[in-house]
């Protein structure tokens, strides 16, 4: 969703703002703008479309100054256009905002009655008018912001630049992320860590309800009652290089290729295959030394993370025999879920900032459930809200389509499964050692699998003209099929659906016609024969079948139109491998079509509003 950057220090603010906005592009946006303050006043530039449009304007008249704010906007209220692009300004008050003001219509009417003139259709402009009105009564900017916030219902992260105070940036946060970056004689603020990495790795995330004042040499954080707070500075290990493309055409492709390393790093320090030991941060504190003190597990997540949760349910129920429900966070938060002290809630989120997942987690906490998060971003809102967090060490994921985060989430879920199975007395030490030995081999299997990229590209390119695709699978591969279909839809804008293969006859088989591509996930397990029958059924109706199966499965490879071979591993671990050809398949179709792979239309990397 929208991205925020603010700078105050010794550099040319415009350069820092544009650099920051570039690093926030992946969040998704449709217009952008900056405002810089200098001796002549406030200079603003805004443009509809990609950053290149804004840069072209800046080339003609570059705003100079050492303090400024910038924004990439993902339209919610008002069409994508220059006049709706941020920053918004009323008098000397300039604002960039992420989030949604729910009572904006009501406030707008009141402000118009008082004589305010609106220049945009955005909810954000309301903040400018409210703060501007308050500043007629007092010259205290912080208090004026506070008063304005009291009138607003909804979510926001806000950076305010006031033309009469050239050395200060004011910040406020409720429900939408905002992180302060502390440099040497310069300070920054951004909605997301990658925008800060070129300047500092020392960060302080703001909490809901907090306000902050940033100068080039200091930062002060206040709670809602005006009490000054002392904050721990987090040192981020991500490097600026990790947020670069590194020679790949797209971030998505780079991130697919990073998966062997991601799994390795996610396992690092957590498993000791020789002794059968698992070391999962915070788990002993949450579960106690032995046993499992909960009756049920509720997983909550959205999108790809939800698909990972579905695989997790299969694993946990199969190996540890603990009942698991997997819930879409957007539904869970408005349901009356049957959870309480007896429930372990596992929210899964790459960003840790997804609004629905956060709201669902707050609901779980209010019902006294314990929360063990799976998350990729250190110090994110989700990590701060949860009782314990198991981090996926995927590094920054920039491509909007989640790839490496999914495989990292599966890795953590598998470790949780083994821990639970051990605690439930369902797994002998020998079996645990075998599992840990097998999972440690996953990075090398992934490396081998990535060598089939050229073959997958060939298959994908032969099917670019198909207008819809079916993905079929059974057991833990059904969610992987859903994930494969989601990847294809989101980056290539082609219709694709994932189905449990056994459901075909209950309706979806009507979609099969001459040449319709059906991607079938066919690992060797107890349902192998069943899915072979499903393949026969769709083939008999003219489908073009692309099967993904065991490298040694000659029968399968001879039966189908295209075949992708998967290296041999323990059956339960195969979802970690089967996901990868599906990512590559979607990538090559989208790339061939020439879509914006890393920032597909209408999508945002983290959905921080409802
Ligand atoms: O950051 P999160 O994992 O909470 O994000 C959840 C979904 O928005 C996300 O997985 C989305 O579905 C991806 N773009 C899919 O590739």
């Amino acid at each position: 969703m929208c991205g925020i950057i603010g700078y105050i220090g010794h550099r040319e603010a415009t350069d820092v703002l544009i650099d920051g906005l570039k690093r926030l592009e992946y969040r998704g946006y449709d217009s952008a703008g900056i405002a810089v303050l200098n001796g002549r006043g406030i200079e603003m530039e805004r443009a509809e479309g990609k950053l290149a449009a804004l840069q072209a304007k800046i080339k003609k008249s570059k705003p100079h100054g050492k303090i400024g704010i910038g924004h990439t906007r993902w339209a919610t209220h008002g069409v994508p256009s220059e006049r709706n692009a941020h920053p918004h300004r009323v008098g000397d008050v300039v604002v960039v905002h992420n989030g949604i003001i729910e009572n904006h219509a009501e406030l707008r009417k009141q402000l118009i009655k008082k004589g305010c003139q609106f220049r945009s259709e955005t909810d954000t402009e309301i903040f400018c008018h409210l703060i501007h009105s308050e500043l007629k009564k007092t010259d205290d900017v912080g208090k004026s912001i506070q008063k304005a916030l009291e009138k607003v219902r909804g979510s926001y992260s806000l950076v305010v630049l006031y033309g009469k105070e050239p050395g200060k940036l004011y910040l406020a946060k409720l429900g939408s992320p905002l992180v302060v970056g502390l440099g040497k004689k310069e300070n920054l603020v951004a909605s997301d860590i990658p925008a800060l990495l070129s300047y500092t790795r020392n960060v302080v995330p703001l909490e809901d309800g907090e306000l902050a004042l940033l100068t080039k040499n200091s930062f002060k954080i206040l709670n809602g009652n005006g009490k000054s707070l002392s904050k721990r500075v987090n040192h981020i290990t991500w490097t600026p290089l990790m947020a670069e493309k590194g020679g790949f055409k797209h971030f998505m492709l780079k991130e697919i290729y990073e998966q062997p390393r991601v799994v390795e790093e996610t396992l690092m320090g957590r498993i000791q295959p020789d002794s059968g030991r698992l070391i999962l941060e915070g788990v002993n504190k949450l579960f106690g030394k032995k046993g499992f003190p909960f009756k049920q597990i509720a997983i909550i997540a959205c999108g790809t993370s939800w698909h990972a949760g579905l695989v997790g349910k299969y694993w946990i129920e199969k190996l540890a025999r603990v009942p698991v429900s997997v819930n879409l966070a957007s539904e869970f938060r408005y349901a009356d879920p049957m959870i309480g002290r007896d429930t372990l809630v596992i929210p899964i989120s790459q960003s840790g900032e997804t609004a629905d997942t956060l709201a669902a987690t707050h609901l779980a906490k209010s019902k006294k459930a314990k929360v063990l998060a799976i998350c990729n971003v250190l110090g994110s809102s989700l990590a701060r809200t949860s009782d314990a967090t198991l981090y996926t060490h995927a590094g920054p994921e920039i491509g909007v389509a989640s790839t490496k985060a999914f495989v990292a989430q599966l890795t953590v879920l598998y470790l949780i499964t083994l821990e639970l199975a051990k605690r439930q007395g369902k797994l002998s030490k020998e079996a645990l050692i075998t599992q840990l030995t097998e999972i440690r081999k996953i990075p090398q299997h992934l490396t081998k699998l990535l060598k089939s990229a050229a073959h997958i590209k060939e298959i994908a390119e032969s099917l670019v003209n198909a207008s819809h695709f079916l993905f079929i699978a059974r057991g833990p591969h059904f969610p992987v099929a859903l994930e494969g279909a989601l990847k294809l839809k989101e980056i290539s804008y082609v219709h694709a659906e994932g189905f449990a293969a056994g459901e075909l006859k209950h309706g979806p088989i009507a979609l099969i016609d001459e040449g319709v591509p059906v991607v079938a996930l066919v690992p060797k397990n107890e349902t192998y024969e069943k899915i072979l029958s499903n393949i026969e059924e769709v083939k008999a109706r003219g489908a073009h079948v692309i099967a993904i199966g065991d490298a040694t499965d000659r029968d399968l490879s001879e039966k189908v139109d295209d075949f992708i071979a998967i290296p041999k591993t323990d059956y339960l671990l195969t979802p970690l491998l089967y996901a990868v050809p599906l990512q590559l398949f979607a990538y090559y179709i989208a790339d061939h079509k020439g879509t914006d792979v890393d920032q597909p239309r209408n999508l945002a990397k983290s959905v921080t509003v409802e």
Side-chain angles (χ1 to χ4, degrees), residues 302-305 349-351 354 400-402 409 486-487 490 607:
C302 301
T304 291
S305 301
S349 173
Q350 184 283 129
S351 60
T354 299
V400 163
S402 186
Q409 287 164 348
L486 176 64
K487 288 290 86 89
E490 65 181 334
V607 183

Side-chain angles (χ1 to χ4, degrees), residues 252 300-307 348-358 374-377 382 397 399-403 405-406 409 483 486-487 490-491 600 603-607:
M252 181 180 175
I300 46 181
C302 301
T304 291
S305 301
W306 180 69
H307 295 155
I348 308 175
S349 173
Q350 184 283 129
S351 60
E353 302 295 348
T354 299
D356 285 324
T357 307
L358 286 174
I374 299 177
C375 185
N376 194 40
V377 180
L382 181 65
E397 192 179 60
V400 163
S402 186
T403 52
F406 177 68
Q409 287 164 348
E483 176 59 10
L486 176 64
K487 288 290 86 89
E490 65 181 334
I491 61 168
L603 293 181
K605 181 65 183 165
S606 34
V607 183

Side-chain angles (χ1 to χ4, degrees), residues 315-331:
W315 283 339
I316 295 171
E317 292 188 340
K318 183 97 184 161
L319 281 188
R321 309 303 291 156
V322 179
V324 182
S325 66
V326 188
N327 308 273
L328 287 165
S330 54
E331 291 295 318

